[in-house]
Amino acid sequence: MKHRGLFLLQLGFTLVVCAFLIVPVILSIMAGLTVNYFVGIESGLTLRWVIEVWNGYRDTIFLSIGLSLACLVVTLILGVPAAYVLAKRQTALTRAMEELLVMPVAVPGLATALALIVTYGSLSGFRTSWGFILVGHVLFTLPFMVRSVLAVLSAIDLKTLEEGAASLGAGFWPRFRDIVLPNCRSGILAGSLMVVTLSMGEFNMTWLLHTPFTKTLPVGLADAYASLRLEVGSAYTLVFFLMIMPLLLALQAFAKPRPAKFVAEETE
Amino acid sequence: MTTQAGKPLAIALENCAKTFPDGTRALEPLDFAIHAGETVVFLGPSGCGKTTTLRIIAGLEEPDAGGRVLFDGEDVTRLPIEQRNVGMVFQSYALFPNMTVAGNIGYGLRIRGTQEAALKARVGEMLDMMQIARLADRRIDQLSGGQRQRVALARALAVRPRALLLDEPLTALDAKLRDTLRLDIDSLLRSLGITAIYVTHDQAEAMALGDRIVVMEHGRVAQIGEPREIYQRPATRFVAEFIGTMNRLTGSAKNGVFSCKAGNLPWAEAPANATEILFRPEDIRVAESHEETGLQGTVAAAFFLGDRTRLFVEVGEARPLVIESTARRAFRHGETVRLAIDPRGLVVL
Ligand SMILES: Nc1ncnc2c1ncn2[C@@H]1O[C@H](COP(=O)(O)OP(=O)(O)OP(=O)(O)O)[C@@H](O)[C@H]1O
Ligand SMILES: [Mg+2]
């Protein structure tokens, strides 16, 4: 009886927290679907705002998707080997590198963006391309990739596993492909999930880095809120959700850890 | 069994020292040879350099400058492990968690580009040999410790290595399982005729498995020899005390008699300068009443073990003598016993 009471209490608390998080989202989405937000839901439901957003901001959506995928590719190529090296070589240098990697996360995005503009702003071709924003996003998201892969690599006895593979004749590349990568799969997937989500939603830095031709989804969202009707802004939020939810769900499904079964000692 | 291809490997170490980057001197210069097809056990206390020596042979560590590792007379010192074709069994097994049992066993063959059919056949053969065929599709985290050990052995042997190196393969298992697996490993090594190096700090394991034992102490080889030789003719006091129990009497030898506090021991071949004699518990016994003997002591403790009684007999030395008595009688604390020593078991160091 006592346990049941505790369970109900926990359930209630969880539901309250969920409601706290989800209700604003639902309200915002509803606002994007009502004819007139100030009149309320009685004014009727419409897709007009969504269509308006699609027509006006389609490009920001495609840019954001492209940007986050490019960001993912770059962080994978840079981050996974970096995590591997950090996991393998525990020296003062690698530990210092590990600490340095959190810098872009700790420093406000605006500051990083400013530094990028000061450094590369004069390269006009680069300044106006989406590559400029990509650099910012990579700086910001790389630590998340490295950390999440490193966490998995540190939890397994990588050195001995590699020695085992080497004793069976596997050189460096086969080892990396067959042993290292598969065993940090969950870290790579978790890192990818973070990188794509963070890149999609990044606003601080992107707001400073963008040009009228390189507007990302969150920047467009700010635009819409600032200059258009609240319904359009809300419809934009809805579109943003529709974009990012399937992605999140897909990555989440991949990242699911395999269940580990315990097997008692069998004497033969 | 026909699982081994070709001739077994002879291994030699020449002047192999090892200093780690942090300055730890793990090995003093080592020289010894392992004959083709024999099972050699590295035995010694923790930290004496057994693993380091094994890793140098495997190619996982390089000896300090001047050291050489020879396989069948050919210098392989600079050859990385993946080119040495030695099978290795790690204490922690090092099985790949991302592969099934069959995947683990077949990995070495896959790396070598073996045809799928041949690979399957060989994996099946290994599964049968290690009696783990029903585990073929399990993941590693679904295996018990003993089963993992078998998979590790099968994986190392599947590629027909030139030698098999095992680093304390049974230490992580409980005593009963260790006994079964030790027997299995013993018969496996014998039937394969493969050159094998087995690292352990368990002297019983070393005695049971080794054709020869390399006893190590502080990065040096203390003695190399057959188990019987190491046990009966230890070369140093360290070897004598590390392996089995040793009794000790101090005194002096004169005219074929060794005199000590316990009395006089007739010993025709006694070296004139002997001040200390060593012998095993099985070489001393409680004398029968009609026997003539010049040695005696008092029982300090007696433990009845069923088939025998372990006696601790005080003879005025630093440590009491240990005697395994099969006499069909009880011993009392403080009782005086007369002792007989078989001179053939005496060792002077
Ligand atoms: N990578 C390393 N760096 C520094 N010192 C090391 C390293 N590996 C081993 N040592 C040192 O070298 C010595 C020999 O170690 P080794 O592992 O060969 O001992 P061992 O005989 O296998 O001991 P155990 O029975 O405990 O496994 C030890 O003093 C150990 O601390
Ligand atoms: Mg060791």
Side-chain angles (χ1 to χ4, degrees):
Chain A
M1 226 34 236
K2 209 173 145 201
H3 285 285
R4 202 174 150 71
L6 190 65
F7 171 74
L8 286 177
L9 201 69
Q10 286 170 336
L11 183 67
F13 182 72
T14 312
L15 287 179
V16 167
V17 171
C18 285
F20 185 71
L21 294 172
I22 287 172
V23 165
V25 176
I26 293 175
L27 286 183
S28 173
I29 288 171
M30 287 314 292
L33 293 173
T34 42
V35 173
N36 187 322
Y37 178 68
F38 296 100
V39 175
I41 202 100
E42 302 89 70
S43 64
L45 293 174
T46 177
L47 281 179
R48 188 183 139 202
W49 311 122
V50 175
I51 292 163
E52 205 165 294
V53 165
W54 179 251
N55 288 333
Y57 291 95
R58 201 170 18 205
D59 293 346
T60 69
I61 293 166
F62 290 133
L63 179 62
S64 269
I65 295 176
L67 202 55
S68 61
L69 291 181
C71 187
L72 176 60
V73 169
V74 176
T75 49
L76 280 176
I77 292 172
L78 295 178
V80 176
Y84 174 72
V85 172
L86 290 180
K88 279 269 299 249
R89 308 229 179 288
Q90 281 291 335
T91 65
L93 182 72
T94 58
R95 268 190 290 273
M97 294 259 297
E98 228 182 299
E99 296 305 317
L100 271 179
L101 263 176
V102 278
M103 285 287 284
V105 184
V107 172
L110 287 176
T112 314
L114 217 56
L116 281 176
I117 291 173
V118 169
T119 318
Y120 303 113
S122 51
L123 303 170
S124 62
F126 181 49
R127 173 73 182 86
T128 52
S129 75
W130 60 274
F132 193 54
I133 301 178
L134 178 62
V135 171
H137 281 204
V138 167
L139 266 182
F140 176 60
T141 55
L142 187 60
F144 292 92
M145 179 62 84
V146 174
R147 292 240 147 189
S148 96
V149 177
L150 191 56
V152 174
L153 286 182
S154 316
I156 57 176
D157 188 357
L158 186 66
K159 180 167 171 266
T160 315
L161 284 184
E162 271 203 74
E163 286 178 352
S167 77
L168 294 167
F172 176 78
W173 289 112
R175 244 157 39 212
F176 195 75
R177 183 192 65 209
D178 302 334
I179 309 302
V180 179
L181 285 184
N183 282 305
C184 59
R185 197 184 78 137
S186 64
I188 292 178
L189 285 168
S192 304
L193 174 75
M194 295 265 258
V195 166
V196 171
T197 329
L198 286 172
S199 169
M200 278 265 191
E202 212 292 326
F203 174 72
N204 275 353
M205 187 192 278
T206 319
W207 185 71
L208 256 191
L209 295 179
H210 88 279
T211 65
F213 308 103
T214 54
K215 246 186 240 175
T216 66
L217 210 152
V219 174
L221 197 59
D223 259 19
Y225 283 142
S227 55
L228 294 164
R229 300 183 57 143
L230 189 57
E231 289 88 343
V232 176
S234 298
Y236 208 152
T237 314
L238 178 59
V239 172
F240 183 65
F241 264 103
L242 290 179
M243 306 284 333
I244 210 157
M245 282 311 273
L247 213 74
L248 288 185
L249 288 178
L251 283 169
Q252 203 97 53
F254 276 126
K256 209 166 276 162
R258 295 171 302 176
K261 248 198 269 170
F262 176 76
V263 176
E265 191 75 31
E266 282 175 47
T267 33
E268 293 152 64
Chain B
M1 215 174 293
T2 55
T3 22
Q4 252 7 83
K7 190 161 79 44
L9 177 72
I11 299 171
L13 292 188
E14 280 181 14
N15 197 32
C16 280
K18 180 68 190 177
T19 313
F20 282 107
D22 66 354
T24 311
R25 179 79 160 172
L27 294 180
E28 303 298 329
L30 291 182
D31 286 274
F32 61 82
I34 294 163
H35 312 312
E38 76 173 334
T39 300
V40 166
V41 177
F42 292 172
L43 176 68
S46 187
C48 69
K50 307 180 294 289
T51 297
T52 307
T53 313
L54 193 75
R55 288 171 64 85
I56 286 177
I57 293 172
L60 289 168
E61 305 280 359
E62 263 193 35
D64 293 351
R68 298 209 306 159
V69 181
L70 304 177
F71 281 10
D72 279 341
E74 181 195 343
D75 189 340
V76 295
T77 317
R78 305 267 164 257
L79 215 57
I81 180 168
E82 57 262 35
Q83 288 164 31
R84 288 197 191 183
N85 196 15
V86 291
M88 185 118 188
V89 175
F90 297 82
Q91 185 175 346
S92 57
Y93 314 134
L95 296 174
F96 310 133
N98 55 315
M99 298 178 196
T100 61
V101 166
N104 266 275
I105 298 176
Y107 183 70
L109 297 166
R110 184 148 289 147
I111 284 294
R112 285 162 173 71
T114 310
Q115 295 282 313
E116 200 58 33
L119 187 146
K120 268 226 172 73
R122 178 67 177 163
V123 169
E125 196 182 325
M126 297 314 295
L127 285 167
D128 287 341
M129 186 166 100
M130 299 311 297
Q131 300 151 31
I132 46 175
R134 70 206 160 76
L135 306 176
D137 296 319
R138 290 241 194 128
R139 283 200 321 268
I140 299 310
D141 57 11
Q142 298 171 318
L143 300 180
S144 69
Q147 293 168 341
R148 284 176 204 212
Q149 190 53 69
R150 287 170 191 272
V151 177
L153 265 168
R155 185 180 75 173
L157 290 170
V159 295
R160 300 189 165 88
R162 304 170 73 189
L164 185 64
L165 313 179
L166 308 106
D167 191 359
E168 309 215 21
L170 304 181
T171 310
L173 305 174
D174 66 58
K176 191 157 156 252
L177 196 60
R178 208 152 56 209
D179 284 344
T180 344
L181 264 170
R182 184 166 69 198
L183 279 175
D184 287 357
I185 291 180
D186 187 46
S187 57
L188 186 70
L189 294 179
R190 277 178 215 297
S191 64
L192 293 179
I194 189 175
T195 307
I197 305 178
Y198 189 104
V199 167
T200 181
H201 57 248
D202 179 338
Q203 45 142 326
E205 211 162 282
M207 295 282 177
L209 282 175
D211 292 323
R212 286 195 302 157
I213 297 176
V214 176
V215 187
M216 297 185 64
E217 178 194 13
H218 297 314
R220 288 190 182 80
V221 172
Q223 187 174 5
I224 303 182
E226 289 170 16
R228 191 172 294 278
E229 188 183 337
I230 300 258
Y231 186 78
Q232 290 173 345
R233 295 277 159 234
T236 68
R237 168 163 307 184
F238 168 80
V239 177
E241 312 249 321
F242 186 73
I243 293 167
T245 310
M246 256 311 178
N247 285 314
R248 184 148 66 110
L249 291 173
T250 52
S252 58
K254 206 165 149 195
N255 306 329
V257 174
F258 185 84
S259 322
C260 56
K261 293 207 183 97
N264 294 322
L265 170 68
W267 184 21
E269 305 101 87
N273 58 351
T275 57
E276 176 185 83
I277 54 173
L278 302 170
F279 52 93
R280 299 286 181 189
E282 56 271 27
D283 290 319
I284 179 170
R285 60 192 170 77
V286 177
E288 307 284 340
S289 50
H290 58 81
E291 270 182 291
E292 245 187 70
T293 164
L295 294 170
Q296 66 175 35
T298 21
V299 175
F303 300 101
F304 179 59
L305 302 175
D307 57 340
R308 67 212 139 93
T309 306
R310 178 168 301 148
L311 295 173
F312 291 83
V313 177
E314 195 57 64
V315 286
E317 301 282 343
R319 280 181 297 158
L321 299 181
V322 181
I323 302 173
E324 307 279 351
S325 168
T326 52
R328 295 180 161 276
R329 71 173 183 96
F331 292 92
R332 275 176 299 102
H333 181 84
E335 175 185 342
T336 301
V337 283
R338 297 188 313 122
L339 305 168
I341 295 178
D342 184 346
R344 286 171 304 177
L346 294 177
V347 175
V348 175
L349 291 177

